[in-house]
Amino acid sequence: MLDKTDLLILEELSMNSRITMKELGEKVHLTAPAASARVAKLEDSGIIEGYTININQEKLGFHIHAFITIITQNTYHQPYLSFVKTQVEYIINNYKISGDGCYILECKFPSNELMNQFLEELNEHANYKLSIIINK
Amino acid sequence: MLDKTDLLILEELSMNSRITMKELGEKVHLTAPAASARVAKLEDSGIIEGYTININQEKLGFHIHAFITIITQNTYHQPYLSFVKTQVEYIINNYKISGDGCYILECKFPSNELMNQFLEELNEHANYKLSIIINK
DNA sequence: TTAACTCCTTTCATAAATAAAGTAAAACCG
DNA sequence: CGGTTTTACTTTATTTATGAAAGGAGTTAA
């Protein structure tokens, strides 16, 4: 099971996953090989799923960040799901949900124009409610 | 501005941010120092905001992942925002939105019991609509 | 008590990162 | 147009980190 040191390691790696094992070790009071072994264990157990980066989407030209709640009229979701697959450049996440709607789409768009185009195409397959993110 | 190589680098780092500069260089047809210099530029420009890990919350005991749409009755949001600050262990993100509601809370809970407790406290400050994530 | 296991440290060989120097192509400018 | 500066890269050499191996201390269980 996980102890306090493992949780500290997860916290440190969440803040900076490119930290060296030496530095990580210092933060959690271990030597580099010990820290490295802990991390390897966390990877093997599947607790650490992967190493990634946070990208500033605004600076890449995606000025709009939105959640779209999807309500499919009929029980057959395939047309909607197929559509989603064609729009990977705008879609951050597609969550299947229970509650108010069938899916929640997390999206990014460079402009209102392209978002509008997306929504029009989306509307061929499902109804939706749009929530634009103002702040995080 | 960004060229094709920069976008490739962002893609590679998104998939594995602990890749060595040597390997990253090979993937984008550069030497290690050249790749390293590109990455440093992406950091300095703020496009790369940070390096982090994906954690399997399920394996850490957070079996419930939910979106909660917040509708504050009055215009004064402070009680809600103060409450959110006390609940960091359950809250992944708090998005201020325009649309159907005032905020969208992304949360994780270990059990229905603790989620219920959270929702009861939340209800002292705001109304909400709950969406449980079934699948991503 | 002893054996096996876990988790750590130290040491050392190898690999990667980084700094420095040099080069070639592109952009700038009098 | 010619000369200068800038940019982006490579190569080389040094520093630093990684990872394998050996060994030790503490824990558990036969």
Side-chain angles (χ1 to χ4, degrees):
Chain A
M1 253 290 82
L2 295 193
D3 64 12
K4 214 170 156 184
T5 303
D6 290 315
L7 293 176
L8 256 175
I9 287 173
L10 291 176
E11 205 176 299
E12 288 298 332
L13 289 176
S14 293
M15 291 191 299
N16 176 17
S17 67
R18 271 195 83 90
I19 193 173
T20 64
M21 289 301 119
K22 187 162 167 278
E23 275 185 274
L24 179 60
E26 280 165 17
K27 301 221 182 210
V28 303
H29 311 295
L30 287 175
T31 57
S36 183
R38 290 258 191 171
V39 170
K41 258 194 184 178
L42 290 167
E43 289 171 3
D44 293 344
S45 70
I47 289 168
I48 294 178
E49 292 182 329
Y51 297 88
T52 188
I53 52 173
N54 288 328
I55 294 176
N56 186 321
Q57 294 294 344
E58 183 80 31
K59 292 197 174 167
L60 284 189
F62 291 95
H63 302 294
I64 305 172
H65 187 187
F67 283 109
I68 306 174
T69 304
I70 305 293
I71 306 106
T72 50
Q73 297 96 327
N74 53 30
T75 54
Y76 185 55
H77 294 180
Q78 209 51 55
Y80 161 74
L81 292 170
S82 299
F83 167 72
V84 163
K85 276 186 196 149
T86 67
Q87 303 287 322
V88 283
E89 64 173 319
Y90 300 136
I91 292 175
I92 301 169
N93 283 303
N94 181 28
Y95 300 100
K96 183 170 200 167
I97 59 166
S98 99
D100 189 27
C102 305
Y103 298 92
I104 289 178
L105 264 182
E106 185 179 356
C107 298
K108 55 179 180 173
F109 300 103
S111 66
N112 273 313
E113 197 180 337
L114 284 161
M115 179 169 68
N116 184 50
Q117 192 180 311
F118 175 92
L119 292 172
E120 283 184 5
E121 288 183 51
L122 171 62
N123 211 9
E124 292 171 17
H125 312 292
N127 284 324
Y128 64 83
K129 279 194 291 191
L130 179 64
S131 300
I132 304 280
I133 295 169
I134 307 297
N135 205 293
K136 182 169 170 170
Chain B
M1 252 294 84
L2 296 193
D3 63 13
K4 215 170 155 184
T5 302
D6 290 315
L7 294 176
L8 256 175
I9 287 173
L10 291 177
E11 206 175 297
E12 288 297 333
L13 289 177
S14 293
M15 291 192 298
N16 176 17
S17 66
R18 272 195 83 90
I19 193 173
T20 65
M21 288 302 122
K22 187 163 167 279
E23 274 185 274
L24 179 61
E26 280 165 17
K27 301 223 183 210
V28 302
H29 310 297
L30 288 175
T31 58
S36 185
R38 289 260 192 169
V39 170
K41 258 195 182 176
L42 290 166
E43 289 170 7
D44 292 345
S45 70
I47 289 169
I48 294 178
E49 293 181 328
Y51 298 88
T52 188
I53 52 173
N54 289 329
I55 295 177
N56 185 322
Q57 294 293 344
E58 184 80 32
K59 291 196 175 169
L60 284 189
F62 292 96
H63 302 294
I64 305 172
H65 188 186
F67 282 112
I68 305 175
T69 303
I70 305 293
I71 306 107
T72 50
Q73 297 96 326
N74 53 30
T75 54
Y76 184 54
H77 294 180
Q78 209 50 57
Y80 162 74
L81 292 171
S82 299
F83 167 72
V84 163
K85 276 186 196 149
T86 67
Q87 303 286 322
V88 284
E89 64 172 320
Y90 299 136
I91 293 174
I92 302 168
N93 284 302
N94 181 28
Y95 299 101
K96 184 170 200 167
I97 59 165
S98 99
D100 188 25
C102 304
Y103 297 92
I104 288 178
L105 265 183
E106 185 181 354
C107 299
K108 55 179 180 172
F109 300 103
S111 65
N112 273 315
E113 197 181 335
L114 284 161
M115 179 170 68
N116 184 50
Q117 191 181 312
F118 175 93
L119 291 174
E120 284 185 5
E121 289 182 50
L122 171 62
N123 211 9
E124 293 170 17
H125 313 292
N127 284 323
Y128 64 84
K129 278 194 292 190
L130 178 65
S131 300
I132 304 280
I133 296 170
I134 307 297
N135 204 292
K136 184 168 170 172

